[in-house]
Amino acid sequence: MDIKVLGPLSAETGGVSIVPTAGKPRQILALLAVYANQVLPVPTLMEEIWGSQMPRSALTTLQTYILQLRRRLTTALGPDALYGSKDVLVTRHGGYLLQVQPGAVDVHEYDRLVAEGRKAGDEGDAATAARLYREALGLWRGPALVDVKVGPMLEIELVRLEESRLGVLERRIDAELMLGQHTELVSELTSLTKRHPLHEGLHAQCMAALYRSGRQWQALEVYQALRGRLVDELGLEPSPRLQRLHQAVLSGDPALEFAQEQRRPVLDLFAA
């Protein structure tokens, strides 16, 4: 099977889609896919579909949806398959499990690549970390499950994924700044600071990239724009680390210059 949730929902076996058109069976498939190879208890599946407004027929209706998914699997597998739909969508221990091969679900591959990237970064291998983070981010085809109505269980996962995506993007840029790719990053970071106007980490990276590209005045403008928004919208000053970065830009602090041996994120250079 090939299942994608980092964008529109896609699930195929033998090149044939098994994604239902009806909303609730589609929702069940999405939840089973996100937690593939894990047993999802029946109450969890019912909570995802109906929340606290569970009908009396919830269990029977859920079983009907599972049956519909298995029928689609049977059609996709074809008559010559070595295993049946019940071997893929398994009933087990008061719940259901979608059994797939390792790497079949894009979100699992994403999490694996991110973990490997973090390990490489912790070991000081910025080039490998940057490559792995790029691979992980390349799996995204848009907002996760953009075409699926989500309930409380999927909502939790979507929040985690969006937070993770932004964090991985920031770590990838940190790794590339460590590799001296500041000039190449200026355009991307300028766009990202506009899309995330209160994100200090991205603004710090943008300031560093601009400064190292010989554009000190623009780095200062980035800081002033962020400070203005923080004060106007939240009544807050930038964090002490960002204020120290601002002072470093103003004074031309050598600590802000690119150094081949430097292997620390920009804001960490100015931690107390």
Side-chain angles (χ1 to χ4, degrees):
M1 290 187 72
D2 181 27
I3 303 174
K4 294 180 173 63
V5 301
L6 299 177
L9 176 62
S10 170
E12 296 181 349
T13 183
V16 180
S17 174
I18 63 166
V19 179
T21 54
K24 286 185 170 57
R26 191 183 190 92
Q27 200 172 344
I28 291 170
L29 177 61
L31 188 62
L32 288 166
V34 166
Y35 294 97
N37 296 323
Q38 300 179 51
V39 176
L40 283 178
V42 165
T44 299
L45 289 164
M46 292 195 297
E47 182 184 356
E48 168 63 26
I49 300 170
W50 292 290
S52 59
Q53 306 297 316
M54 212 167 293
R56 291 183 179 179
S57 61
L59 179 58
T60 303
T61 305
L62 175 63
Q63 291 168 341
T64 301
Y65 294 154
I66 295 293
L67 179 61
Q68 291 173 8
L69 289 172
R70 282 179 172 155
R71 284 174 179 163
R72 296 187 72 89
L73 273 165
T74 298
T75 301
L77 290 169
D80 300 323
L82 299 177
Y83 50 87
S85 61
K86 290 185 177 181
D87 300 310
V88 180
L89 181 44
V90 184
T91 303
R92 189 176 293 172
H93 309 308
Y96 297 96
L97 173 150
L98 186 65
Q99 193 156 270
V100 299
Q101 294 295 317
V105 186
D106 61 353
V107 69
H108 296 174
E109 274 298 283
Y110 167 80
D111 286 335
R112 181 186 67 79
L113 289 166
V114 169
E116 290 184 5
R118 187 179 291 111
K119 182 174 183 290
D122 290 344
E123 294 172 351
D125 187 349
T128 299
R131 175 180 60 79
L132 289 166
Y133 288 146
R134 274 197 174 275
E135 285 185 38
L137 293 166
L139 294 174
W140 287 75
R141 300 167 295 118
L145 295 175
V146 66
D147 57 348
V148 176
K149 180 182 178 182
V150 300
M153 305 307 298
L154 281 175
E155 182 65 34
I156 291 169
E157 184 64 12
L158 294 191
V159 170
R160 178 191 79 83
L161 284 170
E162 282 302 325
E163 287 292 323
S164 171
R165 185 184 189 182
L166 187 57
V168 170
L169 176 62
E170 192 176 357
R171 287 196 292 275
R172 191 217 89 208
I173 293 170
D174 268 330
E176 291 175 350
L177 284 171
M178 292 175 196
L179 296 169
Q181 298 174 16
H182 36 270
T183 302
E184 297 91 325
L185 287 166
V186 165
S187 177
E188 179 183 7
L189 281 165
T190 301
S191 173
L192 285 169
T193 55
K194 294 186 185 306
R195 286 166 48 197
H196 302 279
L198 298 177
H199 195 291
E200 285 199 354
L202 293 172
H203 282 74
Q205 291 172 331
C206 189
M207 290 169 66
L210 286 164
Y211 181 86
R212 292 172 183 173
S213 301
R215 298 158 70 174
Q216 180 184 19
W217 66 273
Q218 286 178 285
L220 294 171
E221 282 189 340
V222 169
Y223 176 83
Q224 292 299 340
L226 172 62
R227 180 181 180 276
R229 285 190 292 269
L230 287 171
V231 171
D232 291 345
E233 296 181 29
L234 302 176
L236 297 173
E237 289 288 341
S239 69
R241 287 194 302 173
L242 197 65
Q243 292 183 44
R244 285 191 286 271
L245 172 60
H246 175 234
Q247 288 301 316
V249 173
L250 278 171
S251 63
D253 190 332
L256 192 51
E257 298 289 347
F258 169 70
Q260 190 64 42
E261 68 278 4
Q262 190 183 87
R263 288 291 184 265
R264 295 172 65 194
V266 172
L267 278 177
D268 286 358
L269 296 173
F270 300 97

